[in-house]
Structures are given as C-alpha cells and as structure tokens.
Amino acid sequence: DGGITQSPKYLFRKEGQNVTLSCEQNLNHDAMYWYRQDPGQGLRLIYYSQIVNDFQKGDIAEGYSVSREKKESFPLTVTSAQKNPTAFYLCASSTLRQGRKGEQYFGPGTRLTVT
Amino acid sequence: AQSVAQPEDQVNVAEGNPLTVKCTYSVSGNPYLFWYVQYPNRGLQFLLKYITGDNLVKGSYGFEAEFNKSQTSFHLKKPSALVSDSALYFCAVRGPSNSGYALNFGKGTSLLVTP
C-alpha cells in the first residue's frame, strides 16, 4: 500500500520544547515538502528537499529545521524559536519526472498544539 | 511570482445542481495548475491538473476544470453536486525549479452542498 505517512496525528507540547514530526513515503519520490496550514490562510511552504542530504528553506522556515538522511524520510523539527507553532502540518512528496513535477501527494497531517 | 487567488471563501449549492469553484492565476510563462480537496482533519487529495493541451481537464470524482488563458482562470466544475462533495477546495500553481517546484496555494474555498 503506497503512500505518505505522518505521525503522530495529534501532538501536544509545552511552550519552549522542541518537537519532531515524522514523514515517511514509499512512493520512491525524489522531492519532499513541508507545509503549514492555518485557518483561512491556505498552505505555506516551510522547507523542501529534492535529493538526499540537501534541503532548502521555503517561505516561512524561521523556527523550523529538517533533515533528509534517507530518500523515504523527511522529519520536521519545530523549535522553541518558532513564535506561533500551533498549526496543522502537512508533508507532501512528488516525482521530478517530466510532466509530473508539482503533482504532489500529501500525508494525513499532524495537528500540533503548543500551550 | 506565481500565485493563485480564490475569490470566494464559501460556495453553497443544492444537491443535484451544478457547482463552480473559482480560481484565477498570475504567472510568468506557462502555468501549471492544480486542484486539491481536503476533508476535515485530513491531508489534501489531488483532483486534477492542467499542464498543456485541452482547456477542459477531467479529474477524479466527476470533477473537471476549465483553463481560460484570456481570463487567467482555472475554475473547478461539476455538473451535479453531491452532499459528499462538501469539503475545502484548494487551487494551486506550481513554482519554478528554484523553489523545488513547490506549489503556491490559494486560501481555499469551502464548498457546502445541501440536501
């Protein structure tokens, strides 16, 4: 059963703590992405990676970090420097084959609540 | 910069009636456009895409979208709405290679289909 998994589905943390969100794909996709979703704001790009051991900042990378040690995995760490971390986080992946670039497949999301 | 706009926060339609969810785009060069649907507390599901070719694109669940270059629009349509179509719909445009082909999303349109 191919797809993207994210865990956990719900996550609660105290302010000042770092937290890591998991994202795994078995679609053999080269590119992976992290988006943040807030009500009424659509999705905003946090980080992306097109190849193992390389990743780039998106529009709202401050307070976040990522790693890409394996093609299948792209974990996101929300650090204590992120001023407003409570949000719904979505991971996506995409092939980079001609004609299919940008066609992203999304995981089920992780809802993070920081109090 | 590549961007899309969804002018309606919410669209209401009666079951069995045709539905339209609007999207306009602003891009440099040829647009690569997408529609996604999101059910509550779930990830986004791919509906359809326009890259090139026919202006009428058919997608999943009976949805289609009409690409109009002169009006820079890419409206989502369905001839006969179902109550189960009620969800949040996102229009997106693919970014350039120096953004990892990430998607730029509209703010979303909530579709409510009433029995």
Side-chain angles (χ1 to χ4, degrees):
Chain A
D1 190 19
I4 303 177
T5 57
Q6 291 185 244
S7 60
K9 188 172 177 63
Y10 298 97
L11 191 53
F12 299 88
R13 280 294 181 268
K14 295 290 187 184
E15 196 173 313
Q17 293 179 332
N18 292 353
V19 61
T20 297
L21 283 58
S22 169
C23 177
E24 304 275 335
Q25 56 99 359
N26 62 4
L27 300 168
N28 198 32
H29 284 170
D30 292 301
M32 296 187 73
Y33 308 83
W34 274 105
Y35 295 91
R36 170 182 171 138
Q37 185 178 15
D38 296 282
Q41 292 196 45
L43 279 70
R44 292 180 289 169
L45 182 66
I46 304 173
Y47 268 98
Y48 66 92
S49 169
Q50 294 183 278
I51 194 169
V52 173
N53 292 323
D54 186 58
F55 46 82
Q56 304 297 327
K57 293 181 179 180
D59 301 321
I60 56 165
E62 184 175 351
Y64 300 97
S65 65
V66 294
S67 62
R68 187 90 185 273
E69 297 177 1
K70 299 186 299 181
K71 187 176 184 178
E72 302 80 16
S73 179
F74 192 41
L76 173 74
T77 296
V78 184
T79 75
S80 56
Q82 167 50 232
K83 290 182 171 41
N84 186 18
T86 294
F88 191 49
Y89 290 87
L90 288 159
C91 179
S93 70
S94 172
T95 181
L96 294 177
R97 292 182 184 175
Q98 198 65 26
R100 301 281 307 274
K101 297 172 188 174
E103 186 177 322
Q104 294 182 13
Y105 292 87
F106 284 80
T110 292
R111 186 165 297 281
L112 173 64
T113 302
V114 177
T115 57
Chain B
Q2 322 283 72
S3 65
V4 293
Q6 295 180 242
E8 303 155 316
D9 291 335
Q10 182 160 326
V11 170
N12 298 320
V13 64
E15 188 174 30
N17 283 358
L19 70 87
T20 299
V21 182
K22 295 180 180 177
C23 174
T24 58
Y25 65 88
S26 174
V27 304
S28 54
N30 295 321
Y32 291 70
L33 299 161
F34 300 81
W35 275 103
Y36 285 83
V37 60
Q38 184 182 35
Y39 296 97
N41 292 311
R42 303 287 294 275
L44 275 66
Q45 295 178 32
F46 172 79
L47 281 179
L48 51 81
K49 68 181 180 186
Y50 173 84
I51 295 179
T52 187
D54 290 340
N55 290 340
L56 187 63
V57 179
K58 294 191 182 298
S60 307
Y61 313 119
F63 284 94
E64 57 191 26
E66 186 171 10
F67 174 73
N68 188 316
K69 189 172 183 178
S70 63
Q71 297 186 5
T72 62
S73 66
F74 188 56
H75 300 332
L76 181 71
K77 301 184 179 193
K78 188 173 183 182
S80 178
L82 300 172
V83 172
S84 57
D85 292 330
S86 298
L88 189 57
Y89 290 81
F90 288 99
C91 181
V93 61
R94 194 189 80 180
S97 58
N98 62 4
S99 74
Y101 302 106
L103 296 176
N104 295 317
F105 288 87
K107 292 188 176 183
T109 298
S110 179
L111 174 67
L112 179 62
V113 181
T114 53

